[in-house]
Amino acid sequence: MTRIENIEKQIEPLREKLRTHRLYDVLAAPYDIRIFMQQHIYAVWDFMSLLKALQKHLTCTTLPWKPAPNPKLARFINEIVHGEESDINEKGEPKSHFNMYLEAMHETGADTQPITDLLAGIKDLSNVNAQIDQAEMPAATKDFLHFTFNLIKTDEPHKIAAAFTFGREDLIPDMFLGIINRAYKESNQNFPKLTYYFERHIEVDGDEHGPLSLEMIEELCGNDNVKWKDALTVAQEALQRRIALWDAVAEEIAKQKAGREAQAEVATA
């Protein structure tokens, strides 16, 4: 068994827990989708932050320019940055996936003000954790973001790459397309921007990205046993934080649903 295979075997129970999370069962109506999106936007931002941290380490983003030590990994990261930062939206306009998601939030009626306020208050990595602490968001979301930015601050690319590679939501777009279709059938509300966002993720996350992500881990860890142990630990923690985030979102959806049902009972009494 290779070291990569060992990590994948060790984290499979967590990935299965994420794949079968109860969140997917409670996401049904448009108001459920809005609650989800208001927290998931932070995971979209989190992904971009990990990606840009890897770009800093694996390509040259400083002057004077110097050649990247591994052109294959540099190309891989730059391709993902290109797609994430300047993809084409449903109208054929250049747009980042983050901004596509914000537009989809507006389409569904989700509140974008908290994430907008958070980004406006962040100057650089030195104050990101303080701004997260002050922001209006659930504790699980704060823990999720603190984990990522503390990882980025280590300046250890093998750890950042482990979170990026093994903590990704690569199976989630398929699930959410089904959820969106179910919401449409139950409420006759259609969300073309959100549908397009998830369809693009399925399209751009092709077969090539997964193997290259694993190659990146192998390159960065090399024959260093400590780094391989770090990679496993980070992979497990990243998935645990994602599961905790999903737990919190599912609980909030259930709480608000119970509140709506109680109000409906009072109204019909």
Side-chain angles (χ1 to χ4, degrees), residues 5 88 229:
E5 289 171 342
I88 301 299
K229 184 177 179 180

Side-chain angles (χ1 to χ4, degrees), residues 40-67:
H40 185 237
I41 184 61
Y42 295 105
V44 177
W45 176 54
D46 161 276
F47 173 81
M48 278 305 304
S49 299
L50 288 169
L51 175 59
K52 296 300 284 186
L54 287 172
Q55 187 182 37
K56 185 185 80 169
H57 286 287
L58 301 180
T59 73
C60 183
T61 59
T62 58
L63 293 173
W65 177 86
K66 295 180 182 179

Side-chain angles (χ1 to χ4, degrees), residues 120-227:
I122 294 174
K123 297 177 182 178
D124 50 41
L125 280 178
S126 67
N127 81 324
V128 64
N129 282 332
Q131 290 297 314
I132 290 169
D133 283 333
Q134 295 171 20
E136 294 183 19
M137 68 176 77
T141 308
K142 291 183 179 183
D143 289 342
F144 179 81
L145 292 175
H146 280 315
F147 170 74
T148 292
F149 285 102
N150 287 336
L151 200 62
I152 289 171
K153 287 180 179 182
T154 67
D155 261 343
E156 296 183 88
H158 69 287
K159 293 181 179 179
I160 300 169
F164 178 84
T165 298
F166 299 113
R168 295 171 66 190
E169 48 189 40
D170 51 336
L171 297 176
I172 291 173
D174 287 307
M175 294 178 180
F176 279 104
L177 283 174
I179 290 166
I180 293 167
N181 291 334
R182 188 171 72 207
Y184 173 69
K185 290 178 182 178
E186 294 184 4
S187 65
N188 202 34
Q189 284 190 264
N190 196 18
F191 304 122
K193 289 183 181 294
L194 184 58
T195 300
Y196 182 85
Y197 171 86
F198 283 122
E199 286 176 343
R200 282 300 292 156
H201 262 277
I202 293 170
E203 186 176 343
V204 301
D205 268 359
D207 293 337
E208 184 181 5
H209 284 182
L212 282 174
S213 291
L214 298 178
E215 185 177 323
M216 174 173 61
I217 298 293
E218 291 178 330
E219 175 72 19
L220 293 173
C221 290
N223 294 316
D224 191 321
N225 291 331
V226 173
K227 287 184 177 180

